[in-house]
Amino acid sequence: EPEVTQTPSHQVTQMGQEVILRCVPISNHLYFYWYRQILGQKVEFLVSFYNNEISEKSEIFDDQFSVERPDGSNFTLKIRSTKLEDSAMYFCASSEGTGGSGNTIYFGEGSWLTVV
Amino acid sequence: GEDVEQSLFLSVREGDSSVINCTYTDSSSTYLYWYKQEPGAGLQLLTYIFSNMDMKQDQRLTVLLNKKDKHLSLRIADTQTGDSAIYFCAEMESGGYQKVTFGTGTKLQVIP
């Protein structure tokens, strides 16, 4: 079964450093997302991406964050100048976006970011 | 904004049925989902239901939707120890870019 893959599975970074989290969405999907889950808390929406542009973003997704689809397969989340409170599991997701079962959103295994 | 609420914890004996409940506020939700998260792992889609359906059954899983009360439930028949995990209810907003709002998650503990 096709799946969303994410790398790295775990990254430790120093406060103030830049981090890039990578994702390969399912190949025929058109919508891409990033969500995050701070330890013990809810899964929170960060951003959705369609047709090579951001379609919606949450209040969390400020200027510190950016997303990019650098080629036909990868979807990246860049976090600049990381803070301690950015420590979380970051989930990439994708969906076909064609209605019906195509609205089902599939998540990757997550990238666990620890900022020290 | 949209809100999705779940009870935090449920404990059942192996072999019994588990019922995990969820309430949501967005009356225009189009799709509602159940995801399973095992410790340290990702979000596994279990099942989903379209908002014009009342019930959906998939093997041991039964989803019931009461749209009037904005109440969603997941019943797991013959619960096994491998079902121990956190279960998230989630709803997709209508008319937008397919943003999904997650509930707080219910931790299911299955006692052998």
Side-chain angles (χ1 to χ4, degrees):
Chain A
E1 185 177 321
E3 57 183 22
V4 176
T5 56
Q6 291 185 240
T7 53
S9 56
H10 189 194
Q11 182 160 354
V12 181
T13 190
Q14 289 207 322
M15 199 164 52
Q17 296 296 304
E18 177 180 284
V19 162
I20 296 177
L21 305 179
R22 292 183 167 79
C23 170
V24 179
I26 295 173
S27 62
N28 64 331
H29 285 187
L30 301 177
Y31 287 81
F32 314 119
Y33 314 83
W34 284 100
Y35 285 75
R36 81 169 184 194
Q37 185 182 31
I38 295 172
L39 187 63
Q41 296 187 24
K42 273 191 184 188
V43 179
E44 301 172 292
F45 169 79
L46 291 179
V47 66
S48 59
F49 191 87
Y50 171 70
N51 201 26
N52 283 319
E53 60 183 23
I54 290 173
S55 48
E56 189 168 356
K57 60 183 181 180
S58 71
E59 294 169 354
I60 303 166
F61 194 89
D62 58 20
D63 292 342
Q64 187 193 0
F65 296 87
S66 61
V67 290
E68 193 178 31
R69 188 153 162 84
D71 54 43
S73 60
N74 290 285
F75 179 52
T76 62
L77 174 69
K78 183 187 290 186
I79 310 173
R80 286 178 281 276
S81 190
T82 48
K83 303 180 287 234
L84 295 176
E85 52 265 38
D86 295 326
S87 295
M89 179 78 94
Y90 288 82
F91 291 106
C92 177
S94 69
S95 67
E96 287 179 36
T98 54
S101 61
N103 279 347
T104 303
I105 298 182
Y106 293 90
F107 285 79
E109 289 288 307
S111 292
W112 182 250
L113 176 65
T114 303
V115 182
V116 297
Chain B
E2 298 74 22
D3 197 19
V4 181
E5 295 292 336
Q6 301 175 238
S7 53
L8 291 180
F9 190 74
L10 177 66
S11 180
V12 298
R13 293 208 172 274
E14 191 174 17
D16 288 350
S17 291
S18 309
V19 179
I20 302 171
N21 294 301
C22 169
T23 57
Y24 59 97
T25 57
D26 185 0
S27 57
S28 61
S29 295
T30 53
Y31 291 87
L32 296 123
Y33 306 88
W34 285 103
Y35 287 88
K36 176 184 180 182
Q37 185 180 37
E38 297 185 33
L43 296 164
Q44 177 195 353
L45 176 68
L46 288 178
T47 188
Y48 67 93
I49 188 167
F50 187 48
S51 58
N52 67 354
M53 297 168 65
D54 298 323
M55 185 182 94
K56 182 177 180 181
Q57 185 150 6
D58 184 1
Q59 300 181 331
R60 291 191 297 124
L61 305 179
T62 303
V63 179
L64 294 177
L65 174 60
N66 181 329
K67 200 172 177 185
K68 175 176 165 287
D69 294 339
K70 297 179 205 162
H71 183 266
L72 183 75
S73 68
L74 174 70
R75 179 177 179 270
I76 306 172
D78 187 24
T79 314
Q80 303 297 306
T81 54
D83 295 324
S84 293
I86 298 176
Y87 291 79
F88 290 94
C89 168
E91 59 98 13
M92 175 176 286
E93 300 169 19
S94 64
Y97 293 96
Q98 306 195 314
K99 172 185 166 185
V100 169
T101 300
F102 281 82
T104 47
T106 299
K107 184 171 183 179
L108 175 64
Q109 179 187 47
V110 182
I111 304 166

